[in-house]
Amino acid sequence: MFQQVTPVSRVVIRFAGDSGDGMQLAGDRFTAQAALFGNDVSTFPDFPAEIRAPAGTLPGVSAFQVQFADHRVTTPGDAADVLVAMNPAALRVNLPALPHGAQIIADADEFTPRNLVKAGYPAGTDPLTDDSLAAYRLHAVPLTGLTVEALRAFELPRKDAERAKNMFALGLVSWLFHRPTEATVAFLREKFAARPHLAAANVSAFTAGWNFGETTESFAVSHEVPAAPRTPGRHRTITGNRALAYGLIAAADRAGLPLFLGSYPITPASDILHELSRQRHFGVTTFQAEDEIAGIGAALGAAFGGALGVTTTSGPGLALKAETIGLAVSLELPLVIVDVQRGGPSTGLPTKTEQADLFQALYGRNGESPVPVLAASSPGDCFDAAVEAVRIAVTYRTPVVLLSDGYLANGSEPWRVPDLDELPTIDPAFATGPNAIDAAGRPCFQPYLRDPHTLARPWAVPGTPGLEHRVGGLEKADRTGEISYDAANHEHMVRTRRAKVDGIARELPPLTVEDPDGSAEVLVLGWGSTAGPIAAACTEVRAAGGSVARAHLRHLDPLPADLGDLLARYRRVLVPEMNLGQLAQLLRARYPVDIESLTQVRGMPFKVAELRTAIEKVAADV
């Protein structure tokens, strides 16, 4: 049979099925295959909020979307070119976002009358046979039956054999796009090394899917996506949570400090705890606390004891940690608080993404409690942001809030593994002896005698002879650290703590502005995970003949010193956010510039097309 191979520059695939159908595994393995081939990749795992919704229902649909290309991609794609639908619910949930002409690979065995009704289709209708999908290229493949037949020789119970249909689907899609298979075969053999029978069965299902694509006449055309250019060095795909965990380990190494994580499991931050718990050989101690308050309390205690204290959470947990963050502000000890944001308020949308914790990170404490706030912009950037958060915390003796979100935490992209000596050295500069002379002319230790440049106080490890001092939440006297209720001293300490955070801006590099022709009158300013969609939208605007500038903020408190001058250079400034305009409100309050806010709170990242439309509309009004 003749089959045509068509080269394409990029493809978006969405695997969708029940939460027990292994869609995350299939998507992750396809991503690994594409990255190994040399494609650039960007992914978006889309989890259901229900722990275990009834099988075949709309709330139980789990999906994994990946874009792979022969060029740099910064998003997982607005819409899928290929949808793999393992049941009617997966088709119904994802069809509204599918463009006409897209390919649908549907498991025909699952489109039974019962499953169709559970998915909300009218009784007696079947989209695979009623021509309602005529606008798409439909491939109704009996994935379940083919998988069971392929594994007949293994004599598995039918239910166990059916569970391998995700590998059959992965093999078919791998054939369709000419992806290498060796890594997946090796992965399956390693994953099921303790159960060789299951390893062989899954490999057989994967191979059967590939062979089905090779021999069937249903797929007359396959596609090939060439490799993308790659910068020199070692690369791997990495999720945001894993990159953040690695960044904390690397920063602790550069500071010569043991890393202590005090944490309570919460979606979508739990994977950081899981990853760090596997890295004890790097001097990492993990403590799974009974609640959020205990987690940060233990981390702050570790910081008091001379370790790098870290706690991880999401929005609801950050609220619970607020009092202890305030205590860390008062103690002026280094502490890193990682907030992997999710949809809120309250329990909200645990498995969906949002950027709505900015105000909480900036202001969510009693009293004047200034805390540096940073945000990562991509899965790989979570590593660099973690290193930067640790550097600031240790150098300035302050708690630091590092913002990520569900989109970054679970998404993945290629990442160049840095050499350790590329990272900044972080000097904890522990106090080792007296630093002042008392009224009697004797050497003494003053715990709030500050570094003249950073305004950081000494970090004295308990038990160091001669460095005994008082700690606690009550206000301390300048220099001596004694409890003080003096009004003038309190104002001095409050203003000094604010000045310490503001002073960080002096060492921040100038903002990077992407303005290729230098003539743009519109600036798109983002923060956090909007970086990828904004970059892609600006590229499309320029490709269509438009002119637009782009800048992105990592540091949200303090804001970069040159931000005001940058904003003043442009006639219009557009700020897209996955909240109701929190950064836009902050900018309007601080700078005499016309700030336009573009917001969404759908639990999903921005689509490139909607950003492009918004940018072009703003540019047309200039």
Side-chain angles (χ1 to χ4, degrees):
M1 181 186 65
F2 173 76
Q3 288 177 324
Q4 179 184 348
V5 178
T6 302
V8 291
S9 65
R10 50 158 294 281
V11 174
V12 178
I13 301 175
R14 189 170 180 86
F15 296 88
D18 262 336
S19 56
D21 282 340
M23 295 296 91
Q24 304 304 321
L25 177 60
D28 181 72
R29 293 318 309 162
F30 187 89
T31 300
Q33 292 175 174
L36 185 64
F37 181 78
N39 297 125
D40 202 64
V41 297
S42 179
T43 71
F44 178 55
D46 190 6
F47 303 101
E50 310 294 337
I51 294 176
R52 189 62 171 143
T57 62
L58 304 185
V61 173
S62 175
F64 187 106
Q65 185 162 307
V66 54
Q67 178 172 203
F68 62 108
D70 64 1
H71 56 276
R72 174 76 172 129
V73 293
T74 58
T75 77
D78 283 3
D81 302 300
V82 178
L83 171 66
V84 179
M86 304 299 280
N87 61 21
L91 176 64
R92 187 164 189 194
V93 166
N94 290 284
L95 191 61
L98 204 64
H100 287 178
Q103 294 193 67
I104 299 173
I105 301 174
D107 184 358
D109 289 334
E110 290 296 313
F111 281 70
T112 63
R114 182 170 180 269
N115 286 347
L116 287 162
V117 170
K118 280 200 295 184
Y121 286 99
T125 64
D126 183 349
L128 301 189
T129 59
D130 63 10
D131 292 330
S132 61
L133 300 178
Y136 308 93
R137 290 178 287 166
L138 174 63
H139 306 282
V141 180
L143 296 175
T144 300
L146 289 171
T147 303
V148 170
E149 183 61 30
L151 303 186
R152 188 173 301 279
F154 292 89
E155 299 182 347
L156 296 172
R158 182 178 176 89
K159 186 175 181 180
D160 289 347
E162 288 180 354
R163 292 181 63 184
K165 64 183 179 181
N166 64 329
M167 289 297 103
F168 188 101
L170 176 60
L172 173 56
V173 177
S174 299
W175 170 86
L176 186 60
F177 294 100
H178 296 258
R179 298 300 89 188
T181 61
E182 294 81 6
T184 294
V185 171
F187 168 83
L188 291 171
R189 287 176 175 156
E190 180 180 352
K191 179 179 176 63
F192 297 104
R195 305 171 74 184
H197 198 58
L198 283 182
N202 277 275
V203 170
S204 293
F206 176 70
T207 304
W210 176 282
N211 292 338
F212 178 80
E214 182 73 18
T215 57
T216 184
E217 296 185 3
S218 178
F219 297 88
V221 179
S222 61
H223 308 275
E224 196 166 69
V225 181
R230 182 77 71 214
T231 55
R234 292 181 299 155
H235 291 79
R236 58 161 295 169
T237 56
I238 199 165
T239 64
N241 274 349
R242 179 165 288 177
L244 203 153
Y246 290 174
L248 293 171
I249 294 170
D253 180 271
R254 297 301 281 170
L257 297 173
L259 172 59
F260 178 92
L261 175 72
S263 188
Y264 179 75
I266 184 172
T267 301
S270 299
D271 282 344
I272 303 173
L273 169 61
H274 299 160
E275 183 61 39
L276 287 177
S277 69
R278 292 191 285 264
Q279 307 298 339
R280 293 186 294 273
H281 53 289
F282 286 118
V284 178
T285 300
T286 53
F287 168 57
Q288 182 174 318
E290 68 268 26
D291 56 42
E292 295 280 4
I293 298 171
I296 189 173
L300 182 56
F304 176 64
L308 174 58
V310 179
T311 189
T312 54
T313 190
S314 190
L318 186 64
L320 291 168
K321 295 179 189 292
E323 184 178 5
T324 307
I325 297 174
L327 176 59
V329 171
S330 177
L331 297 179
E332 299 190 47
L333 285 172
L335 177 69
V336 176
I337 305 102
V338 177
D339 174 16
V340 186
Q341 301 165 94
R342 71 190 206 187
S346 188
T347 309
L349 305 173
T351 61
K352 306 301 180 182
T353 196
E354 205 164 273
Q355 284 183 296
D357 292 351
L358 177 58
F359 279 173
Q360 182 179 203
L362 292 170
Y363 308 121
R365 296 164 293 281
N366 65 296
E368 293 289 345
S369 300
V371 169
V373 178
L374 292 75
S377 60
S378 74
D381 185 57
C382 287
F383 178 92
D384 296 322
V387 173
E388 174 72 349
V390 171
R391 185 192 68 79
I392 290 175
V394 171
T395 302
Y396 289 87
R397 309 290 197 259
T398 178
V400 174
V401 175
L402 172 56
L403 297 174
S404 177
D405 61 39
Y407 176 38
L408 299 183
N410 297 315
S412 62
E413 67 177 357
W415 175 65
R416 188 184 72 82
V417 180
D419 292 328
L420 199 58
D421 57 11
E422 295 177 6
L423 305 178
T425 299
I426 302 171
D427 184 6
F430 289 117
T432 56
N435 61 355
I437 303 296
D438 65 14
R442 295 170 300 191
C444 66
F445 176 63
Q446 295 189 335
Y448 283 87
L449 180 64
R450 301 178 182 278
D451 180 282
H453 176 69
T454 64
L455 299 181
R457 80 172 187 90
W459 190 2
V461 177
T464 305
L467 304 189
E468 297 83 2
H469 62 285
R470 188 189 305 269
V471 296
L474 292 174
E475 185 63 278
K476 303 299 186 294
D478 184 35
R479 299 171 68 95
T480 68
E482 298 298 324
I483 293 174
S484 173
Y485 296 100
D486 179 75
N489 176 78
H490 176 59
E491 176 147 352
H492 171 74
M493 295 294 276
V494 166
R495 292 186 181 277
T496 299
R497 288 188 289 260
R498 180 68 253 181
K500 179 172 67 170
V501 174
D502 289 341
I504 297 169
R506 292 193 302 266
E507 66 174 51
L508 300 182
L511 278 168
T512 300
V513 184
E514 184 184 277
D515 187 359
D517 60 15
S519 64
E521 295 184 293
V522 174
L523 171 70
V524 183
L525 181 69
W527 69 275
S529 66
T530 59
I534 290 173
C538 289
T539 298
E540 289 190 5
V541 169
R542 296 184 192 119
S547 181
V548 62
R550 179 179 75 91
H552 209 76
L553 297 177
R554 164 173 284 169
H555 297 269
L556 299 162
D557 192 10
L559 290 165
D562 58 342
L563 179 57
D565 292 339
L566 172 65
L567 297 177
R569 283 162 40 190
Y570 295 91
R571 292 181 61 186
R572 306 286 288 276
V573 178
L574 179 67
V575 180
E577 300 179 78
M578 293 187 293
N579 56 46
L580 295 183
Q582 295 182 18
L583 178 63
Q585 291 183 49
L586 178 65
L587 297 178
R588 289 175 186 139
R590 295 197 182 185
Y591 304 104
V593 177
D594 181 19
I595 303 293
E596 301 187 41
S597 182
L598 177 66
T599 66
Q600 71 166 42
V601 281
R602 299 193 296 259
M604 302 287 285
F606 276 103
K607 291 189 181 296
V608 175
E610 61 193 2
L611 283 175
R612 174 181 172 178
T613 298
I615 294 168
E616 290 175 337
K617 183 177 184 300
V618 170
D621 293 339
V622 172

